[in-house]
Amino acid sequence: MRAFRYHRPADVTEAVALLDADPEAAYLGGGTNLVDLMKLGVQRPGLLVDVTGLPLDTVEPGPDGGLRIGATVRNSDLAARPLVRRDYPLLARALLDAASGQVRNMATTGGNLLQRTRCAYFQDTAKACNKREPGTGCAALHGQNRELAILGWSERCVATHPSDLAVALVALDAVAEVREPDGPRDVRLTELHRTPGHHPERETTLPRGALITAVRVPPLPFARRSTYLKVRDRAAFAFAVGSVAAALDLDGDVVRDVRLAYGAVAHRPWRAYRAEELLRGRPITAELAAQAADAELAAARPLRHNGFKVPLIRNLTVRALTGLAGSVRP
Amino acid sequence: MSAPVGAVGREHPRLEGQDKVTGAARYAVEYPVEDVTYGWAVPAAATRGRIVRVDAAPALALPGVLDVLHHGNAPRLTPGVDADLFLLQEPTVHYRGQFVAVVVAESIETAREAARLVRIDYDTEPHSTVLSEHHPGLYRPDKVNPSYPADTEDGDFDAGFAAAEVRIDATYRTPAYHNNPMEPHATTARWQDGRLLVHDSNQGSSPVQATLAELFALPREAVRVVAEHVGGGFGSKGYAKAAVVLAALAARQVDRPVRLALTRQQLFGPIGYRTPTIQRVRLGADADGRIAAVCHDAISQTSTLTEFTEQAAVYTRSMYAGRHRRTTHRVVRLDVPTPFWMRAPGECPGAYALESAMDELATACGLDPVELRIRNDPTVDPEQKQPFTSRNLVACLRDGARRFGWADRDPTPGVRRDGRWLVGTGVAGASYPARARAAAAAATAAPDGTFEVRINATDIGTGARTALWQVAADALGVPVDRVAIRVGDSDLPAAGVAGGSMGTASWSWAVIRACEGLRDRLRQAPGGAVPADGVTVEVSTADEVRAQRPLPRYAYGAHFCEVRVDADTGEVRVPRLLGVFAAGRVVNPTTARSQLIGGMTMGMSMALHEEGVLDERYGDWVNHDFAMYHISGCADVERIEAYWLPEEDPDLNPAGVKGLGEIGIVGAAAAITSAVHHATGVRVRDLPVRLDKLLEEQAEDGGSNRDGVPP
Ligand SMILES: Cc1cc2nc3c(=O)[nH]c(=O)nc-3n(C[C@H](O)[C@H](O)[C@H](O)COP(=O)(O)OP(=O)(O)OC[C@H]3O[C@@H](n4cnc5c(N)ncnc54)[C@H](O)[C@@H]3O)c2cc1C
Ligand code: SF4
């Protein structure tokens, strides 16, 4: 692997300046993704700017409810917060269903959101990959693509975003606080990750060198009735092959509001707006939930090996929504 | 069972357990070595063809790089020893991932970076990497692993099958499985005064020593192979493999010690794997389930380098009765790495196929699958026509059924539901040959009343060292604390590999004979006094083992399990897995249990999780790491139980053991897939049973799941 320099900046300003000054620099969070990719030669930074010493490691309640999660808060610490468990059960679930205890102890909030795809071809430098090397082609498109996208992919890239946490945050309309060389900026989580289009090498809407400093979760009282359902190929320590984040607000039987997002189906966490729209104002039933999922999945274009994700996501949607409906009944 | 009188039969933790958990135990690349350098293997990025150019200059330009070895400059090896080990000698590429160069550098990071910089150009040829029953290259090998005939025939299968009242004709597919020991293949090699010393991670350092001596044209005494602690192998370290040869070549080239460990990714191929199989099983029976005709046709792959044929159909030759029988093996040479031993080669995939077909037969006959197996339990070996030295399959089935609570089972598939879960249970039989190999051992008495027993056995984590120590104490007739045992060094009396479940049988045989010999010698000593330099007896069991009558000797087992399938997602869970085994005498219940539940877990992993996913365009497995190649984890194993029956078989070996390393995996997958069928009504005949296969069956629009090919 490439020899690299390592630096622990004193503050956010220094961190951002270092990345701005050096096109080969990268932020280092827990390193659970970046260091693996460095060993594989997929990423080859010349300078690592370790952000875990920055004072971004607190979880605070927002002034009017909600949460502010520092970018370097470890995944296990976040999942253990009573506030998170009580007010945002889907967040705690998404975190605890991810990776392993050891990985979660290292992984940071910022790093989790910006982890790279698990597409096998992306991780193998001997294979063609537009994301790793733009213009070389996409080995996955006609290759082994069981784990990859059914929604929003392009001929250039069919990868999925692997984070569970991001799916839950997208459902909650969370906002990333970002520091760029010319100042701070807010980026809505639903707009943080891109679909691949012509440029799969651009995974987010952030400019290079942008530092995520915190994630704000707005108040959402009905998120107390929320869940995250993740399906994977073994009982623990595996990425999702499909997941659903859901929060439901009922007025009697009628859906007053709903949040629905899908994981492991696209290059970004997939907010199911179309399904949400169909659900609002109607009495919740299994049939309605299935219809809503079908409406969202109408745009699905399964690849050779992942057609099963369509019924999987539909079934998970029904289970999530009927489960939540059951749990709010007196 | 009566309580043990001596050390044998008693629970004892592994002797080296504390050293291992505290990190004091040294593995192959952990020995402190002065002036050590680091080797990094470079895999071929072509699937079939020739290297036309190696440009090492960019790698050599990196500070700290000592050398780049390749076919153009590497020290020469003796041809004809082993095609797979004839490394860096020729420009030919036989499969993708074949090691074609080695970088040696002052640090491991530099070596890895330099490996990336080695430029190799290939002249490629079209390749063939997919096993299929229609492959034109399929042929009948002369023998199958290790030396069974490829085909057997007894009676008239075709007529017997045609005349049968109930017929099963099913084809089962298993994917490539990868051994994936925790410790990779790894070696520290150094040359001193023309002698080669290697610390190597292997399952038998005597055979590795012999192979290295041949490859490097050295007398055997000039090679020493130490393998004191080994982090598993599952068969893949049963023979010298690439790492040790590359390290020895590199150490000779740079004239300094070299450490070389393969990466996890590099373990997917070059070290061997379990071949994919396609197995057709036909069973013809009367309405009562009595089998009249059985045929097992097994297809597998090998490489263009070495013929290795997995003996998948051999299991069927001795397992169940039936007058008309046929077994066949066909193999095809593909542009893939050579498959090799993986825990219970042959029996493991073979039992999956035959035991699954037995379950299908039970369903077809409307018979309980335990009862079906009992009805077809042969009294003599159905092909060899000789009585078994002991055969307790039926006892295992009965005991397992009782412990599991099998009696009230409703055989109807797909009717039990517990909330979101479809629930089912399954059973399968198991057998594994009980063999032994010749070995030598030495025992020394010291004047202070202590003893040392030496044998080049290998403890790959199984507890072999501890078991032999217990056996030795009893054979010497002294308490264990007066006995020391040494294993894992080719300077010790030579012994065979830890493989084929033969370790404890073979090694304890030699240990017992050495200890008996020593006791005899001590009895003859004047006044019984031990001289200052001790008394040593060294023996070999070669003559005795050779003289053993060729009788059918097998361990048996029965697996029972409960399976739950999520009706919405197809996820499979195994709340209970229970095995009962009859495997001769059990030397150490602690380590025996760990072998059995380890084997059962690996069988579950085979059924549900593991699969080498081939990309035929490249000829390699895309999911080549632990994040993608799923192995059952702790959360998948909810409740697992292993029991064994008391079994005394005087016709085995002096210790009366049959071996436990492999029997646990045999049949476990069939029990699970049968339970999946019982739960869902769906027979998945291609492993692993992943959720997509069940979901597609369950989804109303299942057919549409296959057609979304991108334009
Ligand atoms: C075996 C395994 C299994 C896993 N399973 C799961 C799973 O099931 N579900 C799941 O969601 N995840 C899973 N993960 C992934 C894990 O969650 C991520 O690796 C982890 O969250 C990344 O966080 P990190 O702090 O270690 O990031 P790093 O590896 O340090 O960084 C990741 C990326 O983010 C960038 N970065 C880090 N911090 C910031 C910041 N503050 N601002 C801007 N950029 C930043 C880095 O430059 C890098 O590009 C698994 C990982 C492994 C190794
Ligand atoms: S899917 Fe995307 S990440 Fe995977 S190979 Fe194609 S371009 Fe690369």
Side-chain angles (χ1 to χ4, degrees), chain A residues 19 25-37 43 48-49 51-52 54 56 71-75 94-95 97-100 103-104 106-116 118 162-166 206 209-214 228 230 232 234 237-240, chain B residues 626-628:
Chain A
L19 250 81
Y27 295 123
L28 177 71
T32 59
N33 186 222
L34 179 56
V35 175
D36 276 3
L37 292 174
Q43 282 184 257
L48 288 185
V49 178
V51 299
T52 57
L54 298 178
L56 306 171
T72 63
V73 172
R74 309 284 176 171
N75 289 178
L95 286 161
D97 278 355
S100 66
V103 174
R104 294 194 295 270
M106 291 299 290
T108 62
T109 308
N112 189 313
L113 296 179
L114 298 186
Q115 61 175 299
R116 314 292 307 273
R118 305 304 296 199
S163 166
D164 291 302
L165 173 65
L206 300 180
L211 178 74
I212 295 182
T213 53
Y228 184 75
K230 170 175 174 176
R232 48 194 144 174
R234 63 179 165 191
F237 206 4
F239 287 92
Chain B
F626 277 173
M628 294 186 277

Side-chain angles (χ1 to χ4, degrees), chain A residues 117-123 127-133 136-141 145 148-149 153-160 196 200-201 203 267 303:
Chain A
T117 182
R118 305 304 296 199
C119 171
Y121 301 96
F122 169 73
Q123 296 180 62
K127 308 281 162 70
C129 171
N130 287 326
K131 185 183 285 300
R132 187 168 20 79
E133 277 179 79
T136 54
C138 169
L141 181 64
N145 46 35
L148 304 183
W153 53 265
S154 75
E155 300 270 302
R156 300 275 173 100
C157 180
V158 292
T160 51
E201 74 281 8
E203 292 177 343
H267 198 259
L303 305 166

Side-chain angles (χ1 to χ4, degrees), chain A residues 1-2 39-40 44 120-121 124 127 139 141 143-144 146 231 233-235 302-303 307-308 312 315 319, chain B residues 109 112-113 116 265 420 566 568 609 613-615 617-618 620 622 631 636 690 692 695 705 708 710:
Chain A
M1 70 196 273
R2 180 181 178 190
K39 289 187 192 166
L40 294 172
R44 300 175 46 77
Y121 301 96
D124 183 346
K127 308 281 162 70
L141 181 64
Q144 292 292 350
R146 174 179 177 271
V231 170
D233 281 326
R234 63 179 165 191
L303 305 166
F308 73 97
L312 178 67
N315 293 353
R319 177 180 289 174
Chain B
E109 292 82 6
R112 184 172 208 172
E113 175 67 5
R116 209 185 56 87
Q265 287 81 0
R420 59 196 252 212
D566 187 311
D568 296 332
H609 300 126
V613 178
L614 182 84
D615 187 326
R617 300 167 304 170
Y618 303 97
D620 63 359
V622 296
I631 297 169
D636 294 291
R690 269 198 320 235
D692 34 324
L695 202 58
N705 290 345

